[in-house]
Structure formats: C-alpha cells, structure tokens
Amino acid sequence: MKQLTLVIFFMMMTANGFAQTHLQDSTKSQNIQEVIVIGTTNISNKENKPLGSIDEYLQKSAKVDMVKRGAYAWEPLINGLPTERTLITIDGMRIFGACTDKMDPITSYIEVSNLMEASISSGQEGSCHGNTIGGSIDLKRNKMMFGQKKWNFNVNSGFETVNLQKIFGAGTSFKTEKFYTDVNFMTRDAENYDAGNHVEIPYSQFQKINISGISGVKLGENKLLEASVIYDKANDVGYPALPMDVSIAEALIASLKFQMLPENDFLKSWETKIYFNNIMHRMDDTKRPNVPIHMDMPGWSKTYGYYSHLKSVFNNHHFLLNINGFYNKSRAEMTMYPEDKNEKLMFMLTWPDVRTLAQALYLEDQISLNQNSSLKLSASVTMHQNKIESEFGLNSLQIFYPEMKAEKTRILKSLAANYEFNKNSFQAGFGVGYGDRAPSVSEGYGFYLFNSFEKYDYIGNPNLKSESSFELNAFVGLKKEKFNAKVSSSYFHISDYIVGKIIDKLVPMTTGANGVKAYTALDYATLFNVSLSTELQIAEPLKWTTQLVYTRGKDNEQGNLPFMSPFSYQTSLRYNKNKFSTEVLVLGNTKHQDFAPQYGESETPNYTIAHINFGYLFNFGKTKVFTKVGVENIFDRFYTTYSDWNKIPRPGRNFFINLNFSW
C-alpha cells in the first residue's frame, strides 16, 4: 500500500510539473531483427487478440519460446536459451527478478497498456544494454509527439471463458506544444483455467493490477526531460506446475531521462537516463493440501542504474556510444515451519544478500558501404563484480567452498560484425560474434534451490568461469510486391556451459527431492536453429502468412539440451477490408523426441490446434469502438508441449472478447 501511495503521488507530480516528448532522431539502427508492435492506444485490427498478455505477443516471434509454469508469468527463451543467458530490458533499464524459481520474469511486471513495441535481437546484436549469449528483448514504452493542445482517452475491456478472466483498463493522455503526459492502468482477474476436454487445472488463478505514467517537458527546441513510473502488483497467483504459489509479487519501476538533439552535423542525439526499481516476491504454499512442511520464501531485488547514449554521424559512419551501469541487491530467504510447534524453525538464505556492480562501455558503428550494402561493427567491455554482504550466507556457502572469497570481479566482453545486402527485391546477410556472461545469482551463490522439473536441490558455485559463446548467423530473403520470404539461421558454440551435476554425498533439504546438484560447467555445448517466414498477398484483402522453426541443442557428449523446440509451424489466413477483419490460425509442433532426460525431460507428442477471430471498427462521431471476438483451441484439444513445466496441460477451448473505446 505504501508503494501504491508513492506511485500515485509521483504520477500526480509529474502530470503537473513535467511532460514527455518524442524527439525525432535521424540515426536509427538497421539491424534490429524483429519488432513486435504492442499497445492499447492505437489498436490495429491486425492484432488477433489486442488485450492478450505480453507473453502472448512475444511468442509470435520465431526467436522466442515460452516456458509455462501456469497461466501467468511465462519465462521467455531466446534462441532456445533461458533468462540466465539472455537480456530483457524495459526502455534500456536493467531489472532483476526476486524469485529463485524464476516465477517473476521481467515481462510479468509490465502490461500491454505500458508498451509501444518489443525489439528482439539475436545473439550479440542484443548486447547494447548488457552482456548476453542468446540475445535480448527491449520492451519500449509508449511515446507521444508534441502538438496542438489535445486530450485523448481510451477504455479497454475483455473477457475469456477458459478461466473466466476479466480484463479492464483505461488511459488518458494530454499534449501541448511543450508538454505531455500519459497515465493508464489495467487489471486482470482470472480463475483456474480448463484444459482440453473440460479438465480443470487447479492453482492456475491470478489477479493483477498495473499503473503507469509518463510525463515530460520541452526545455528548449532540442531538449527534453522525461519522468516515468510503473507500479505492478499481482496477488494470489497459482503455479500448477510448481509445488508453491505466489501470495504477492510487487514492482516499482521509475526513471528520469534527459534527451538533447544537438544542432550540429556530427552529434545527432544525446540521451541520459537514471533509474530505480524495487521488486518483492513471496512464494506461498498455504493453499496447497498435504504439504509435508510449510515454507515461507520471500525474495527482494533492488536495482539502481543509468545509461548515456551518444549518436553521431561522420561521412558514411553512424556511431552509437552507450556508457551504462547498475548496482543490484538480491536477497531471498526460506523459513520452514515444522508441524511440531516445539521444534525450532529452520532458516536459510537462499540468495545470501548478493550485491552486483556492473560498469560497461558499448560502441557501435554502422557503415554504409554503398547504396546496397552496409556493415555493422560493435564491441563492449564490462567490469562485473559480485559481493556477498551477509556473513551468515558466506559461511553457509563456505561449507562447500572453504576457500571462496566474499567478492569476485570479472571482465566481460562482446564483439560482433554483421553484413547486409539489399538490392531490388533480394536481401541477404551474415554475421559473426563473440560474447561472455557472468553466472547468475542462483548459479553462483544459490543455496539449496529446489528445481521441481529435475527434482533436485541446487547449490551455487562461486568458482564458475564466465560462460562464453562464439556465434554465426545468416539470412536470405526475397521481398516482392505481393510475396515476402525470409530464411534465418544461427549457430552457437558455447564454452563452459553451466549446468548442474549430481553430488552423491549430500542429502537434499526438500522433502521428496531425488538428491543435490551443484552448478558446474561442461566443456561446451552447441545450438543450431533455422526459421522460414513467408507472406503472400493472395488478393487485396486476403493475406496468407507462414512461420516454420526448428532448434537443436547438444552438449559436448552429444546429449540433448533442454527446452529445444522440435519442428514447429504456424500458418494464418487473414481477411482485412475496410473496418472488418477475420483470421484463421493453425499452429503446432511435431513430437518432441530429442529430449534431455538428464535434465528432467521426456517425450511429448505432436499437436495441432486452430484459432479464429473476427474484428470490426465502429465509428460514433469522434468515438471509435474496436471489437475483437474469437475462439482459441477451437476443437478443445488436450495437449502439452516441450516447454510446459512438468507437462502442465495447455488451456482448452477459449472464447474471448476484447473491446477498445477511444476518443
């Protein structure tokens, strides 16, 4: 409640004292591989479900898969790699979850009403805001232009039958020649969902509220000051694939940005931002029956950070310099409550007050070689330091690593080169990259973290080397007036690949666990993926799109890596004329037979499901009403996929309606 009061106060102050602007900048990246448009302010009839979650938008990408532990807060994978090996930011801001079980990815703390688009980059092309192996997702906030004095309003409402989810949101924006502000909120309330054949999935409910505001002021013809805040709170979140649920997950994300567009030929843009975010997450098992021993597992993550971007142009060179850094505090606890009240409580620090300090320098040069080809070069260097602040936590880990120190410093690097050729309707490109990353807090300093997928307790390893990756990528495409096609492929050779190894002599702390694993590193692992995307304009209002994806990962002993997509496909036929639109979508994947039993995986069958939706835009004077209705999983298929934690079934047939009123 205290944080909610602070948010409302912050938004009131910024609405009266600041304003946001969108200053145009002539230096734009040409190498972003994919942009997914998101938002509720300018809803397009091209969206199959405008009020879907961020997760539903992101999984449209050929590069992104989702690990699902329930109906809420899916974990995004980029190129088949989990969040330890990828980078997710909100407008360039570093944010770290507070859950040791990865039940709160960064994408869970924002809403479609906050965002304009998601920029997805593969491999080292995503290293602008930090070190990564698999790539990055930058979730970009709504932006407005200055203009004549004007108010805008929008109201959004939705309902889904599969879990009785009720969605409601509203927003308003105001702009003048020197000022603007944008405030919005959205709520979601869902019961347990039904899988196919009307099988109820218990502990899959959730509730959520999200409030967001941006305000800014024009300090001069070429200067902008912008303030931004997001408050997000989820309650009573069930995770049917896990042994525990979440009683509360709460985030406060705030930033202040200064931007200037210098009036000279060399320096085109200077943007500096300072930011702060505070996340609290509490796991809870009080609603589960037959719990052997009740546990309380809160976690906290607090981050202070900044970045400063400089963009310049010199002849055929477009430069980007990004100086950035952050300081993060991560702490997680576990308290066990024995049934016998006379027994003592058992307490552990599962994240032992780990402080992470990082300072990075990133430089990029986009070189226009001629009118048909370009070359992008990028490099970064990062000073990365971890320190255990808790003496109790340090002593606990020293049981396993007697010589370990409280502090460890690494130098991380990234290098990439990408060439592109475009002439007439033909496109092609290839690239090479090298990057490394530090172990995550769990990998380096976790203490008896239970992995319910593998059924093992995990212990971190502070002596792990930095994981490094050498990558190759290429694409070729054809872009005609009525037909587009693109084939993309990536290969990663990842050295010192971090995994868990069974420690025979240790006894697990979790009741029912098979044993204990400690993080170690394989010599290497390899990953290959390929995708094909096509788009055919059959007639003026009729478009057919197709996407095919295949991913394969192996370790140095030719064992399979987990969560690698088998051959997957989706195809859609869309009719869009005037104010009416409709779409039929078919998607699925083949049998997952290249599974990784050593990481808890087993075979999953193939599946195919179908969706359909209809949309219409009504105009009532200055008021527009966009309506979208549809059915997902039309034939009520009962199925599970390779990326469903503990084979939790997916939702069955779902009728939905989305309404957007704007004026």
Side-chain angles (χ1 to χ4, degrees):
M1 188 65 194
K2 185 178 179 181
Q3 285 196 340
L4 180 59
T5 304
L6 288 171
V7 172
I8 294 172
F9 176 76
F10 186 92
M11 291 167 60
M12 292 174 63
M13 292 296 292
T14 56
N16 285 282
F18 294 92
Q20 184 214 351
T21 186
H22 181 66
L23 300 178
Q24 293 298 324
D25 152 22
S26 61
T27 310
K28 296 184 178 179
S29 172
Q30 303 300 315
N31 293 78
I32 291 294
Q33 291 195 344
E34 190 170 7
V35 173
I36 295 176
V37 178
I38 305 174
T40 58
T41 54
N42 294 295
I43 288 179
S44 166
N45 59 5
K46 295 180 181 180
E47 297 301 331
N48 51 19
K49 191 163 75 168
L51 299 183
S53 66
I54 297 294
D55 305 325
E56 291 174 294
Y57 275 91
L58 290 177
Q59 69 179 359
K60 297 176 184 178
S61 168
K63 292 291 183 184
V64 178
D65 294 304
M66 291 288 177
V67 173
K68 302 182 182 181
R69 298 171 173 88
Y72 184 79
W74 305 340
E75 179 191 358
L77 310 179
I78 306 176
N79 285 314
L81 297 173
T83 47
E84 297 92 344
R85 297 181 172 93
T86 62
L87 177 65
I88 300 176
T89 54
I90 300 176
D91 266 347
M93 296 183 289
R94 299 296 301 270
I95 304 171
F96 299 87
C99 178
T100 57
D101 282 17
K102 301 202 286 188
M103 298 157 81
D104 68 333
I106 304 312
T107 47
S108 68
Y109 291 115
I110 52 175
E111 261 294 347
V112 291
S113 55
N114 308 156
L115 298 180
M116 176 179 68
E117 64 186 31
S119 294
I120 301 169
S121 300
S122 178
Q124 296 309 309
E125 280 196 291
S127 62
C128 178
H129 297 291
N131 294 86
T132 180
I133 299 292
S136 70
I137 300 174
D138 189 25
L139 300 164
K140 298 187 177 181
R141 298 288 310 276
N142 288 325
K143 290 182 172 58
M144 289 180 59
M145 297 286 291
F146 288 126
Q148 295 182 348
K149 185 176 180 180
K150 185 179 180 180
W151 284 94
N152 287 293
F153 302 90
N154 68 82
V155 176
N156 305 284
S157 182
F159 181 75
E160 301 188 20
T161 62
V162 75
N163 58 357
L164 303 182
Q165 181 179 181
K166 298 164 283 292
I167 306 167
F168 182 77
T172 182
S173 62
F174 174 72
K175 67 178 180 179
T176 68
E177 296 290 343
K178 293 187 177 181
F179 165 87
Y180 93 68
T181 187
D182 186 332
V183 179
N184 61 75
F185 79 92
M186 182 164 283
T187 65
R188 297 179 187 266
D189 188 342
E191 306 296 330
N192 292 334
Y193 72 82
D194 286 343
N197 301 324
H198 307 288
V199 177
E200 182 179 351
I201 306 300
Y203 316 113
S204 59
Q205 77 289 339
F206 64 88
Q207 298 176 4
K208 172 181 173 131
I209 183 171
N210 179 281
I211 304 173
S212 169
I214 301 180
S215 294
V217 63
K218 201 174 189 179
L219 301 178
E221 287 303 315
N222 63 342
K223 298 181 182 68
L224 154 73
L225 184 67
E226 175 185 288
S228 170
V229 64
I230 297 174
Y231 174 76
D232 189 278
K233 183 179 181 180
N235 294 95
D236 189 23
V237 182
Y239 287 87
L242 300 174
M244 299 187 74
D245 302 312
V246 172
S247 59
I248 184 172
E250 188 176 32
L252 175 64
I253 303 167
S255 66
L256 184 67
K257 180 180 79 173
F258 173 78
Q259 185 177 4
M260 180 175 67
L261 303 182
E263 297 176 348
N264 65 64
D265 293 334
F266 177 70
L267 190 59
K268 297 299 180 182
S269 172
W270 177 36
E271 177 182 315
T272 297
K273 177 183 288 186
I274 57 174
Y275 60 87
F276 162 80
N277 54 78
N278 186 30
I279 293 176
M280 190 274 288
H281 185 277
R282 185 179 294 275
M283 286 189 275
D284 173 50
D285 60 6
T286 56
K287 295 186 177 181
R288 297 295 182 98
N290 305 318
V291 176
I293 182 169
H294 168 59
M295 292 187 292
D296 185 29
M297 298 181 66
W300 301 267
S301 173
K302 187 177 292 185
T303 305
Y304 307 84
Y306 80 97
Y307 69 72
S308 188
H309 288 175
L310 281 170
K311 294 182 179 181
S312 63
V313 177
F314 180 73
N315 295 332
N316 60 335
H317 295 264
H318 292 70
F319 296 104
L320 167 62
L321 173 67
N322 180 16
I323 302 172
N324 63 87
F326 68 85
Y327 178 68
N328 172 259
K329 304 177 182 180
S330 291
R331 177 186 174 96
E333 302 172 354
M334 178 170 67
T335 304
M336 296 183 180
Y337 299 85
E339 288 188 8
D340 186 348
K341 303 298 182 182
N342 296 319
E343 294 185 27
K344 291 184 178 180
L345 301 181
M346 291 180 284
F347 175 82
M348 290 192 301
L349 275 179
T350 50
W351 280 350
D353 249 341
V354 181
R355 310 298 169 93
T356 302
L357 175 67
Q359 177 62 54
L361 176 67
Y362 173 88
L363 181 61
E364 175 185 300
D365 182 11
Q366 294 190 32
I367 309 168
S368 178
L369 302 177
N370 53 53
Q371 63 179 359
N372 298 321
S373 59
S374 63
L375 177 65
K376 176 184 171 183
L377 304 174
S378 64
S380 72
V381 61
T382 303
M383 186 282 294
H384 183 280
Q385 182 186 83
N386 291 125
K387 183 179 181 181
I388 298 179
E389 196 69 21
S390 165
E391 185 175 349
F392 173 73
L394 177 62
N395 292 337
S396 298
L397 280 170
Q398 284 177 335
I399 296 172
F400 308 102
Y401 308 100
E403 304 301 321
M404 74 169 288
K405 305 297 183 184
E407 187 175 309
K408 190 176 185 68
T409 301
R410 305 167 188 265
I411 300 298
L412 305 176
K413 308 158 290 295
S414 173
L415 296 167
N418 290 272
Y419 171 81
E420 288 191 12
F421 177 83
N422 290 272
K423 187 173 184 180
N424 300 327
S425 58
F426 179 74
Q427 301 173 317
F430 62 89
V432 60
Y434 171 85
D436 53 12
R437 61 125 183 154
S440 67
V441 172
S442 291
E443 291 169 335
Y445 305 100
F447 192 74
Y448 280 95
L449 305 179
F450 181 58
N451 182 318
S452 63
F453 195 77
E454 301 179 25
K455 305 295 188 294
Y456 279 87
D457 282 337
Y458 266 76
I459 295 172
N461 182 352
N463 300 321
L464 288 170
K465 295 180 181 179
S466 298
E467 190 178 84
S468 60
S469 171
F470 172 76
E471 68 174 86
L472 299 171
N473 59 77
F475 74 88
V476 61
L478 188 66
K479 194 169 185 178
K480 296 284 190 179
E481 182 180 354
K482 295 185 177 181
F483 176 73
N484 298 332
K486 185 177 181 180
V487 178
S488 301
S489 184
S490 299
Y491 172 81
F492 297 85
H493 185 282
I494 306 173
S495 300
D496 298 308
Y497 189 84
I498 299 173
V499 297
K501 181 181 179 181
I502 297 174
I503 307 298
D504 294 324
K505 297 180 181 179
L506 297 182
V507 178
M509 190 72 68
T510 305
T511 303
N514 294 332
V516 178
K517 287 186 176 183
Y519 282 105
T520 184
L522 304 177
D523 288 343
Y524 67 88
T526 59
L527 188 151
F528 169 79
N529 62 54
V530 61
S531 65
L532 168 66
S533 301
T534 66
E535 183 179 287
L536 175 63
Q537 192 82 43
I538 299 174
E540 184 59 34
L542 193 62
K543 184 180 292 184
W544 178 30
T545 61
T546 299
Q547 182 175 281
L548 309 175
V549 181
Y550 175 74
T551 304
R552 187 71 189 275
K554 291 186 176 184
D555 61 25
N556 59 319
E557 296 181 350
Q558 298 304 300
N560 294 317
L561 298 182
F563 298 113
M564 295 291 148
S565 172
F567 178 75
S568 65
Y569 55 89
Q570 64 178 41
T571 183
S572 69
L573 193 63
R574 174 184 293 276
Y575 179 87
N576 188 2
K577 188 172 184 180
N578 300 327
K579 300 176 182 180
F580 174 77
S581 65
T582 184
E583 180 186 34
V584 177
L585 176 67
V586 176
L587 66 145
N589 61 239
T590 59
K591 181 170 64 175
H592 183 41
Q593 56 189 9
D594 298 320
F595 55 91
Q598 68 272 33
Y599 302 110
E601 282 194 321
S602 58
E603 184 176 280
T604 53
N606 65 305
Y607 76 92
T608 301
I609 58 172
H611 308 325
I612 189 170
N613 62 72
F614 304 89
Y616 195 84
L617 178 64
F618 298 91
N619 288 319
F620 302 99
K622 294 184 178 180
T623 302
K624 296 180 179 180
V625 181
F626 181 68
T627 305
K628 180 75 79 169
V629 297
V631 186
E632 297 174 313
N633 195 355
I634 296 171
F635 302 107
D636 200 28
R637 175 78 181 269
F638 184 91
Y639 71 105
T640 185
T641 79
Y642 71 96
S643 62
D644 295 318
W645 197 264
N646 286 326
K647 295 190 174 182
I648 188 74
R650 294 284 181 99
R653 184 185 296 116
N654 180 34
F655 294 89
F656 71 86
I657 179 170
N658 289 178
L659 299 173
N660 172 263
F661 302 83
S662 59
W663 65 95

